């Protein structure tokens, strides 16, 4: 019953999180595109009012005129929209989902004793500390190098690389990727909460008092907003990565993660520059080339089973079924004990079900060694070799 309830919490939180993320990313992408597409106003009255740039839209049968002021409008409007709740909702729902899945079951999701042997309490606080440290280091870099955009960008990129290396040497590969995504998402939401919105509030307060707002708040907010847009595609990949074990189970999973994140940043840069009127095709080409390189690098090597090497007779399903029953059925059965329901609907209760999933069993348990998850059921290398021998021998029933 507990696993069943957890699965429903997972469903509800994941659905809510995705909806909130769509709203936040959509809003973020729109404003970055808008900011990079502005043209100086042709109306002299608009220029005198402090309009820096404008953009005309036609959408849904209507015409829209978006304007941006150099600092702020002459008068404060009665109804002012604040772009903050999609960010906060995305982070809160994501952290809730992370708590239900990962922090609630650290032995299963956070810990891989082959990476680092640590207890569940240490794993939980390490994960939370990783998120906090991510923001503290990033924010410190911005405060020290805030006036040097290019140097700051290089330093932030280098820091993300170091963080990826550390995460993949502390946590299980699957968790490391997710924690990296959560760290970047925390930075993004913290940028909104600690820098962008407070700066905007100070500008509004100054206007209400009849003072001229300090333009530094707008500059800082834009800088953090630009950083957020480059983090977006890497974060989306990290959140989806748990479905693709060939990435996080690689011996150099931290480098695979860095390559894919860099590819995402390059592709995002293409769209940013395109909105400025510069079509730089080498950016997406380089991004796709990096993805292709990651694909080639992560191709599994053929496994030579010990039994085959010794010219042993081919194994039959009956020879490996006890292994699957002992090591896999706790999750992959009609009535699992470690999960609310069988992941991906893969069942191993009967010979027919095992045969139908032979390819997936071989890939996950032998080629990638991604299953059992966190190896919580302690599948041995000899058992993996037996599964390999059975599959490569034709998966004989």
């Amino acid at each position: 019953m507990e696993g069943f309830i957890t699965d429903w919490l997972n469903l509800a939180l994941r659905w809510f999180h995705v909806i909130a993320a769509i709203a936040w990313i959509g809003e973020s992408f729109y404003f970055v595109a808008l900011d990079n597409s502005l043209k100086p106003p042709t109306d002299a009255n608009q220029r005198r009012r402090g309009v820096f740039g404008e953009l005309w839209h036609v959408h849904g049968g209507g015409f829209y005129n978006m304007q941006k002021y150099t600092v702020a409008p002459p008068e404060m409007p009665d109804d002012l929209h604040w772009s903050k709740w999609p960010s906060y909702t995305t982070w809160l729902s994501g952290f809730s989902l992370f708590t239900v899945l990962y922090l609630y079951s650290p032995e299963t999701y956070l810990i891989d004793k082959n990476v680092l042997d640590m207890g569940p309490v240490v794993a939980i606080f390490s994960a939370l500390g990783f998120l906090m440290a991510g923001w503290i280091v990033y924010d410190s870099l911005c405060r020290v190098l805030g006036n040097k955009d290019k140097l700051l960008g290089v330093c932030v990129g280098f820091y993300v690389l170091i963080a990826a290396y550390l995460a993949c040497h502390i946590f299980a590969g699957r968790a490391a990727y997710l924690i990296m995504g959560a760290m970047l998402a925390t930075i993004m939401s913290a940028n909104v909460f600690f820098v962008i919105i407070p700066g905007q509030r100070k500008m509004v307060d100054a206007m209400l008092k009849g003072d001229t707002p300090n333009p530094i708040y707008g500059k800082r907010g834009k800088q953090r907003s630009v950083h957020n847009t480059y983090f977006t595609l890497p974060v989306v990949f990290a959140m989806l990565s748990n479905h693709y074990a060939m990435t996080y189970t690689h011996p150099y999973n931290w480098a695979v993660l860095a390559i894919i994140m860099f590819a995402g940043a390059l592709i995002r840069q293409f769209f940013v520059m395109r909105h400025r009127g510069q079509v730089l095709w080498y950016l997406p080409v380089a991004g796709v080339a990096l993805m292709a390189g990651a694909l080639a690098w992560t191709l599994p090597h053929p496994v030579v089973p010990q039994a085959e090497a010794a010219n042993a007779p081919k194994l039959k399903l009956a020879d490996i079924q006890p292994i699957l029953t002992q090591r896999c059925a706790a999750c992959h059965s009609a009535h699992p004990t470690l999960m609310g329901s069988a992941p991906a609907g893969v069942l191993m209760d009967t010979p027919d079900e095992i045969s139908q999933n032979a390819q997936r069993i071989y890939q996950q348990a032998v080629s990638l060694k991604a299953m059992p998850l966190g190896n919580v059921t302690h599948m041995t290398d000899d058992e993996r070799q037996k599964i390999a021998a059975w599959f490569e021998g034709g998966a004989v029933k």
Side-chain angles (χ1 to χ4, degrees), residues 104-184:
Y104 186 72
S105 303
E107 300 95 334
T108 302
Y109 291 101
L110 291 179
I111 300 171
D112 183 345
K113 295 186 182 298
N114 293 320
V115 176
L116 183 64
D117 190 355
M118 56 182 169
V121 175
V122 173
I124 291 171
F125 279 97
S126 296
L128 295 175
F130 211 88
L131 303 188
M132 293 178 61
W135 163 249
I136 292 171
V137 174
Y138 163 82
D139 185 58
S140 300
L141 288 173
C142 288
R143 292 179 183 277
V144 173
L145 302 173
N147 295 325
K148 303 175 181 178
D149 278 336
K150 291 184 179 179
L151 178 59
L152 175 60
V154 171
C155 290
V156 170
F158 188 64
Y159 169 59
V160 171
L161 179 64
I162 294 174
Y165 179 86
L166 292 175
C168 289
H169 285 79
I170 295 173
F171 306 103
R174 173 173 168 164
Y177 274 38
L178 186 74
I179 288 171
M180 275 301 301
M183 185 195 82
L184 295 180

Side-chain angles (χ1 to χ4, degrees), residues 128 182 333 370 382:
L128 295 175
S333 69
D382 285 343

Side-chain angles (χ1 to χ4, degrees), residues 230-309:
Y230 289 118
F231 286 154
T232 303
L233 295 189
V235 168
V236 171
F237 163 73
M239 297 309 174
L240 297 175
S241 64
N242 65 93
H243 297 288
Y244 306 102
M246 68 280 192
T247 58
Y248 61 76
T249 58
H250 192 272
Y252 294 96
N253 52 3
W254 64 273
V256 174
L257 176 60
I259 289 171
I260 296 176
M261 283 188 164
F262 185 52
L266 287 176
I267 293 170
R268 183 69 189 121
Q269 174 70 351
F270 167 76
F271 289 100
V272 170
M273 299 306 295
R274 183 173 177 271
H275 293 309
R276 295 179 182 174
Q278 301 179 49
V279 181
L280 306 177
W281 286 108
Y282 69 86
L283 291 171
V285 169
V288 172
L290 286 172
M291 292 293 292
L295 183 154
W297 196 22
T298 56
L299 283 174
H301 299 291
V303 177
V304 180
Q306 294 177 358
E308 183 176 308

Side-chain angles (χ1 to χ4, degrees), residues 6 10 47 80 88 93 104-105 111 145 167 210 223 251 310 380 387:
T6 300
N10 179 3
R47 292 195 296 271
L80 187 63
Y88 302 162
S93 59
Y104 186 72
S105 303
I111 300 171
L145 302 173
Q223 183 182 66
T380 67
I387 295 173

